[in-house]
Amino acid sequence: TGILVSTSGLWADRQGAILAILGLAGLFVLVAHDLLPGGALGRAKYIVEGVVSIVFVTLVVLLTGGAPSPFFIAFALIVVGAALVVPPPAAVAMAVLAAASYFVAIVVDLPPGGLDMAAIAIVGVNLLALILLAYVAMVVAREQRRTRRAAVRLSTIDALTGLANRAYLIAALQREIERGTRYGRGFCLLMADLDNLKEVNDSFGHSAGDRVLAGVADVIRAGVRRIDTAARLGGDEFVVLLPETDPAGAY
């Protein structure tokens, strides 16, 4: 934007103000991304950045012609970027704010005779593009979240029983060891395996054995606390990690 404004000469009378706004925007990016601690803005980080960015873009659009400004695309970039990382209601709110800010930039510098049909058409196309891009970004983000949840589930859950798998159990156990070492608190493990599962598989087929494993998993799941981690270690072996539990409580 700075290069285009400086070299085109289209807004020579407002060039200083535009470059000053761009400098402030760059300073904001520097502070938000490099100087502030990573968790300073918390979960509102993207929303705060989006709102502040919309303010800067509104000023630039206002100073570069309003409705026909070539920098309207920045509104769309902000809204699309936000839609990919924030919940859908926040993305919709960001799109509404961008559209309203665009109207403000147009109205503040409205020509004496109002907008002609060409300018009105530009505004309509811009707003339609903003809405469609925001919708597409939200759809993409929804699919990304669904895929991410499925990947996490596949990497941590035993597909047959719905209990935690071996990898998740080992990680949870390591965390519990570290916590117990630091705070001096104990934990227990329940370990169990099924007798004669092979006979079930041989007599009735592996699908019957799978139903037995799933049924045992349901019993285990129903019999432990919410803070416990029930897992299938492999084959017919089950383990339950019991935080903050002494041997008597485990028994």
Side-chain angles (χ1 to χ4, degrees):
T1 301
I3 292 174
L4 181 59
V5 169
S6 301
T7 59
S8 67
L10 293 175
W11 307 281
D13 57 331
R14 301 178 177 182
Q15 178 174 313
I18 296 172
L19 294 179
I21 292 171
L22 295 177
L24 289 174
L27 180 62
F28 169 74
V29 172
L30 177 67
V31 171
H33 286 273
D34 296 310
L35 299 182
L36 287 179
L41 298 177
R43 299 179 64 182
K45 172 181 174 67
Y46 296 112
I47 296 177
V48 171
E49 290 182 353
V51 170
V52 174
S53 299
I54 286 175
V55 172
F56 284 125
V57 173
T58 302
L59 294 174
V60 171
V61 170
L62 173 62
L63 294 174
T64 55
S69 172
F71 301 112
F72 170 83
I73 187 63
F75 282 124
L77 291 175
I78 294 169
V79 171
V80 168
L84 291 173
V85 294
V86 301
V92 171
M94 200 74 69
V96 171
L97 177 62
S101 299
Y102 183 43
F103 274 120
V104 169
I106 294 172
V107 172
V108 169
D109 199 23
L110 197 65
L115 297 178
D116 56 22
M117 287 306 299
I120 293 175
I122 291 174
V123 172
V125 170
N126 284 342
L127 291 177
L128 181 60
L130 180 69
I131 294 171
L132 292 177
L133 287 171
Y135 174 74
V136 170
M138 285 190 289
V139 171
V140 171
R142 182 185 62 194
E143 290 304 307
Q144 286 181 334
R145 286 191 291 268
R146 184 186 62 80
T147 303
R148 191 180 304 114
R149 285 194 297 267
V152 170
R153 180 175 176 82
L154 287 174
S155 66
T156 59
I157 300 298
D158 177 64
L160 176 60
T161 63
L163 300 180
N165 61 16
R166 181 189 184 94
Y168 184 89
L169 173 68
I170 292 174
L173 183 57
Q174 184 61 43
R175 288 194 301 268
E176 200 61 34
I177 290 173
E178 293 173 357
R179 194 164 71 98
T181 302
R182 181 174 182 179
Y183 298 109
R185 298 172 178 172
F187 66 91
C188 285
L189 287 176
L190 300 180
M191 303 186 68
D193 67 272
L194 306 188
D195 294 335
N196 305 321
L197 181 62
K198 184 178 183 304
E199 295 180 8
V200 175
N201 289 330
D202 292 342
S203 300
F204 303 102
H206 285 276
S207 60
D210 289 347
R211 290 196 297 272
V212 170
L213 289 170
V216 171
D218 291 339
V219 173
I220 293 175
R221 188 182 297 107
V224 299
R225 303 166 301 182
R226 294 184 64 180
I227 65 170
D228 299 331
T229 300
R232 182 187 179 199
L233 194 60
D236 62 353
E237 297 174 329
F238 295 87
V239 175
V240 183
L241 173 60
L242 307 170
E244 304 284 341
T245 305
D246 58 19
Y251 181 81

